[in-house]
Amino acid sequence: MSTNSEIVSRRNRPAKAPLSRDVIVSMALDILERDGAAGLSLRRVATALDTGAASLYVYLSNLDELHALMLDAALAAVKTTDVRALPWRARLKKLLASYLQVLCDRQGLAQLALSTIPCGPNTLRIWEQLLGLLKEGGVDGTKAAWGVDLLALYVTAIAAEQSIRQGDQALERVRNAMSGISAEEFPHLFAARTTLLSGEGEARGAWALDIIIEGIVSGASPKPAKRRR
Amino acid sequence: MSTNSEIVSRRNRPAKAPLSRDVIVSMALDILERDGAAGLSLRRVATALDTGAASLYVYLSNLDELHALMLDAALAAVKTTDVRALPWRARLKKLLASYLQVLCDRQGLAQLALSTIPCGPNTLRIWEQLLGLLKEGGVDGTKAAWGVDLLALYVTAIAAEQSIRQGDQALERVRNAMSGISAEEFPHLFAARTTLLSGEGEARGAWALDIIIEGIVSGASPKPAKRRR
DNA sequence: ACCTGAACACCGTTCAAGT
DNA sequence: ACCTGAACACCGTTCAAGT
């Protein structure tokens, strides 16, 4: 509850800002933004805070925990549109679009999200919203729980894929492999090669989200039995 | 085409097996299987091959390339059921189930798949199969290309999630966070907490795949226009 | 052409010692 | 309680030198 960010009322600040979880996390996010996932390390965060790496272990138990804290802190930017005027489906799409946006905006954040299961306050808030929106749409129980999991997983996955697609030399390899395929050996692949390579990340992501949402709402329930009638 | 695996007909083998891309990749997969993703490194692979890390750079340009080669080599185990007797949808599900199985079976492989876009022969073969099966189901063009992408992405994501869920202390954190939530602040989350935590990975994955397949087959096309009638 | 040792510039984490 | 320097056990990659 108390976020430990009490004001240091000392007149003569010790020139070095006092350490805290929050300071470490936000500095780490700054570094991630500037240098990407490859440039993030405990040592660099420590150096940027003008201290040694060992000092961070007072506030963190390890690097994984820092990752989880960073992710949750970044997810504070996800907008939970409370506009009751819009129908639930539109609000659900807006929420997921914002979620995706946040993960894509900060360089390297998507990569982080893949290797961590976040469970901080912001993550919980998003999950709660998703569950509520699905319930408004008549989905609850196991279906809603699994649906939220599926939606969150997919948003993370698509963000990560797009972050890999841009930048690295990985795409160049794919392009090479695709241009080298023969029409006889891989007829379908050959025919689809242009479409497969076309980016259009945004439209693609929206299309896929629509399909998943529609499937959760109108698709079959997970457990066939379990009816109580 | 020629896989460079010519037989060394020397009578006196040099006691040290000659290096080659294949030898390096299969040793790396062995190490991944035994020690997991955290235990895999170029240096360890080199040591296991009784040489120095520098020697590997004759066959690999960097670690990323090794990852891509490992992934594609592992995907050789994906079974492409050619049984024409089964309807296309059943074959599609079997193929995806096998894909998922392979990624889940080898410890750490799923993690690998997330950070690499594979484009080796086995990957191409799977893509070709997927495209063919979707076409049998009446899906082609942009919808099929994006569909294959979505299916492959999702299989990878669910495999990775399950590999994170088991083992690490991440799950323990989630469990803690979930048990600490208040029914007033997060009513939906509180009601769903048991279902959300329940593993049941297999059933969950199958359910989600069904939804995605159904959505691709019967859902809207990506580009609204482009009809030729 | 292929392999090697040594070096370079990094990592995360621990621990005794300081304040 | 908090911070620190130094150490430990690792990384990927490069490069001059060997065969």
Side-chain angles (χ1 to χ4, degrees):
Chain A
M1 294 294 169
S2 64
T3 47
N4 222 35
S5 50
E6 303 159 274
I7 305 165
V8 181
S9 55
R10 303 290 216 104
R11 243 317 179 86
N12 52 340
R13 296 198 243 156
K16 202 194 286 188
L19 285 180
S20 75
R21 250 166 123 94
D22 290 336
V23 168
I24 294 170
V25 169
S26 76
M27 179 60 86
L29 282 171
D30 283 356
I31 291 174
L32 184 71
E33 177 110 39
R34 209 178 337 106
D35 304 332
L40 180 75
S41 75
L42 274 181
R43 287 180 115 104
R44 267 221 250 267
V45 174
T47 306
L49 291 169
D50 198 25
T51 183
S55 305
L56 306 186
Y57 282 82
V58 180
Y59 305 94
L60 309 166
S61 54
N62 53 41
L63 183 62
D64 267 357
E65 190 171 293
L66 176 61
H67 287 164
L69 291 170
M70 289 170 70
L71 182 55
D72 195 75
L75 290 184
V78 174
K79 279 178 292 188
T80 53
T81 46
D82 268 325
V83 191
R84 285 273 158 192
L86 287 169
W88 68 271
R89 201 183 295 242
R91 271 178 289 150
L92 178 58
K93 285 185 189 175
K94 275 203 163 189
L95 175 59
L96 291 170
S98 174
Y99 193 173
L100 182 58
Q101 180 94 279
V102 168
L103 288 182
C104 287
D105 271 4
R106 283 181 185 265
Q107 220 203 357
L109 194 63
Q111 301 249 40
L112 237 174
L114 281 173
S115 54
T116 318
I117 306 182
C119 50
N122 289 307
T123 307
L124 293 181
R125 178 178 56 90
I126 293 169
W127 284 359
E128 174 72 14
Q129 285 267 331
L130 287 173
L131 281 171
L133 287 166
L134 283 179
K135 190 161 198 174
E136 265 194 74
V139 181
D140 60 358
T142 308
K143 209 172 161 183
W146 291 17
V148 167
D149 202 64
L150 175 56
L151 287 170
L153 178 61
Y154 179 68
V155 166
T156 307
I158 208 171
E161 198 194 34
Q162 280 176 21
S163 90
I164 289 177
R165 252 174 217 280
Q166 71 201 17
D168 280 336
Q169 75 264 39
L171 195 141
E172 198 56 37
R173 257 201 309 248
V174 176
R175 211 176 286 280
N176 275 348
M178 291 293 279
S179 70
I181 62 176
S182 71
E184 294 93 46
E185 203 181 354
F186 301 116
H188 302 118
L189 209 48
F190 186 81
R193 89 206 114 99
T194 317
T195 317
L196 270 171
L197 283 175
S198 81
E200 301 199 75
E202 201 134 348
R204 186 133 75 170
W207 171 78
L209 271 178
D210 274 2
I211 279 181
I212 293 175
I213 292 173
E214 201 51 49
I216 292 171
V217 173
S218 62
S221 284
K223 285 183 184 174
K226 188 132 194 187
R227 260 194 248 187
R228 248 316 167 87
R229 266 271 187 115
Chain B
M1 294 298 168
S2 65
T3 47
N4 221 35
S5 49
E6 302 158 277
I7 304 164
V8 181
S9 56
R10 302 290 216 103
R11 244 315 182 82
N12 53 339
R13 297 198 243 154
K16 203 194 285 186
L19 285 181
S20 74
R21 250 167 123 95
D22 290 336
V23 168
I24 294 170
V25 169
S26 76
M27 179 60 85
L29 281 172
D30 283 356
I31 291 175
L32 184 71
E33 177 110 37
R34 208 176 341 105
D35 304 333
L40 181 74
S41 75
L42 275 181
R43 287 179 115 106
R44 268 222 250 266
V45 174
T47 305
L49 290 169
D50 198 25
T51 182
S55 305
L56 306 186
Y57 281 82
V58 179
Y59 306 94
L60 308 166
S61 55
N62 53 42
L63 183 63
D64 267 357
E65 191 172 292
L66 176 61
H67 287 164
L69 290 170
M70 288 170 71
L71 182 55
D72 196 74
L75 290 184
V78 174
K79 280 178 291 189
T80 53
T81 47
D82 267 326
V83 192
R84 285 273 158 193
L86 288 168
W88 69 271
R89 201 182 296 242
R91 272 178 288 150
L92 178 58
K93 285 183 188 174
K94 274 204 163 189
L95 176 58
L96 291 170
S98 173
Y99 193 173
L100 182 59
Q101 180 94 277
V102 167
L103 288 181
C104 287
D105 271 3
R106 282 182 185 266
Q107 221 203 358
L109 194 63
Q111 301 248 41
L112 237 175
L114 282 171
S115 54
T116 319
I117 306 182
C119 50
N122 289 307
T123 307
L124 293 180
R125 178 177 56 88
I126 293 170
W127 284 359
E128 174 73 12
Q129 285 267 331
L130 287 173
L131 281 170
L133 287 167
L134 283 180
K135 190 163 199 175
E136 265 194 72
V139 180
D140 60 357
T142 308
K143 208 172 162 182
W146 290 17
V148 167
D149 202 65
L150 174 55
L151 287 169
L153 177 62
Y154 178 68
V155 166
T156 307
I158 207 171
E161 197 193 35
Q162 281 177 20
S163 88
I164 290 177
R165 253 175 218 279
Q166 71 201 18
D168 279 337
Q169 75 264 41
L171 195 142
E172 197 57 36
R173 258 202 308 248
V174 175
R175 212 176 285 281
N176 274 348
M178 292 293 280
S179 70
I181 62 176
S182 70
E184 295 94 45
E185 203 181 354
F186 301 115
H188 301 118
L189 209 48
F190 186 81
R193 89 207 114 99
T194 317
T195 318
L196 271 171
L197 284 175
S198 81
E200 300 199 76
E202 201 133 346
R204 187 133 75 170
W207 171 79
L209 271 178
D210 274 2
I211 280 182
I212 293 175
I213 291 172
E214 202 50 48
I216 292 170
V217 173
S218 63
S221 285
K223 284 183 183 173
K226 188 134 194 184
R227 259 195 252 187
R228 245 320 163 87
R229 264 275 183 110

